[in-house]
Amino acid sequence: MGVKRGKRPLIAGNWKMNLNHLEAIEVVQKLSYNLDPSDYEEVEVVICPPFTALRSVQTVIDADKLKFGLGAQNCHWQQKGAFTGEISPSMLKKLDVSYVIVGHSERRQLFGEGDEEVAKKARAVRDQEMTPIICVGETLEQRGKGRTEEVVSAQTKAGISRLSADEASSVVIAYEPVWAIGTGRNATPDEAGEVVAKIKEEAEKKFGSAVSDIRVLYGGSVKASNIAGFVSHPLIDGALVGGASLDPDEFGRIVRYSRPPR
C-alpha cells in the first residue's frame, strides 16, 4: 500500500471521551510495540487523549522515549481566568502538548461553538507556540443542498482569520465531513480531495503563496482498509482518526499503511 513520494503524512488519533488514564497508558504502550523506528521517521504520529490522560500519556512518551506527538482535543481561548471547567493553552503547553484540535464538528454541533470561537482558540494556541488542528466540514443536510464548498470555505476563512501568513502556513486543517464521523461512511479520496483543494484555495486567497504548503488532513470513518487511498491523494496530507485510533493494532496498521513509498 503505497502513498505519494516526498511527503511525510501526519496521522493524528482523536480518542474523544474514551479511556481513563490507566487504559491510555496501556494503549500507548501497545501502539509503540506495533511500530518500528522507521515508521516514526516516515509518518508523524500524534495522540490526542482526553484531558484526564494527558499527563499520563506525556509521562509514558518521555520515559520510554517514544516518538509520538502529544495533542489535546480542545482548549479555551483565554490563558487563565474564572472559566470553571475549562483548560487553557498555557496549561497544555506545560504538558508538552504540541497540537490542539479546535472546532471539531462535535464541539460545533453539540456545544454550539461558532466560527468566532474557533478563530480565537486557533489564535490562543499559536500564542503558546503550539499547532492548532482546525476542523472544518459540512453536515449531510448542507451537502444535500450543494453547500459543501460554501460551508467549508467560510469555516476555513474564519479559522485562520486571526493568524499571520507565517502562522497560517504552519497550522493544520482537518476536513471532516460531519456525515462521515462515526457513521462508518466516508468520502471517497476524490471527493475529499476536491474539498481539500477548496480549503487550500481559500487559504491562498487570503495569504498568497506563503501558505501553499499548508497541511490538510481528512477525517471521517478512517481505518486501515481505506487510509492508503486518502494519503496517496496528492492534496491530502494525512488523517485525523477517531474510533480506529482507540485500537492500537488497527491504529498501528493505519500508520504503517500511510508510509510513503521508498
Side-chain angles (χ1 to χ4, degrees), residues 182-235:
T183 64
R185 301 173 58 189
N186 56 268
T188 67
D190 285 341
E191 289 172 336
E194 289 178 5
V195 181
V196 169
K198 192 65 180 177
I199 291 169
K200 295 192 176 191
E201 178 186 318
E202 195 62 51
E204 289 191 34
K205 203 181 294 182
K206 179 172 177 59
F207 294 116
S209 60
V211 293
S212 59
D213 288 330
I214 192 169
R215 291 185 292 176
V216 183
L217 314 181
Y218 171 75
S221 297
V222 173
K223 42 191 177 288
S225 61
N226 62 24
I227 183 61
F230 291 110
V231 294
S232 63
H233 192 285
L235 295 179

Side-chain angles (χ1 to χ4, degrees), residues 117-210:
E117 290 171 281
V118 175
K120 289 192 290 187
K121 290 181 179 186
R123 172 71 267 162
V125 169
R126 283 297 303 137
D127 285 341
Q128 291 297 313
E129 300 181 337
M130 298 181 293
T131 300
I133 300 177
I134 303 171
C135 296
V136 301
E138 81 283 11
T139 65
L140 184 60
E141 180 183 6
Q142 290 165 336
R143 184 178 182 82
K145 292 180 178 179
R147 297 184 58 214
T148 295
E149 288 192 0
E150 171 197 343
V151 170
V152 170
S153 293
Q155 291 175 343
T156 300
K157 184 177 179 180
I160 61 177
S161 62
R162 292 172 176 254
L163 305 175
S164 68
D166 285 344
E167 290 169 333
S169 68
S170 65
V171 307
V172 176
I173 298 177
Y175 169 53
E176 288 205 309
V178 179
W179 50 270
I181 298 173
T183 64
R185 301 173 58 189
N186 56 268
T188 67
D190 285 341
E191 289 172 336
E194 289 178 5
V195 181
V196 169
K198 192 65 180 177
I199 291 169
K200 295 192 176 191
E201 178 186 318
E202 195 62 51
E204 289 191 34
K205 203 181 294 182
K206 179 172 177 59
F207 294 116
S209 60

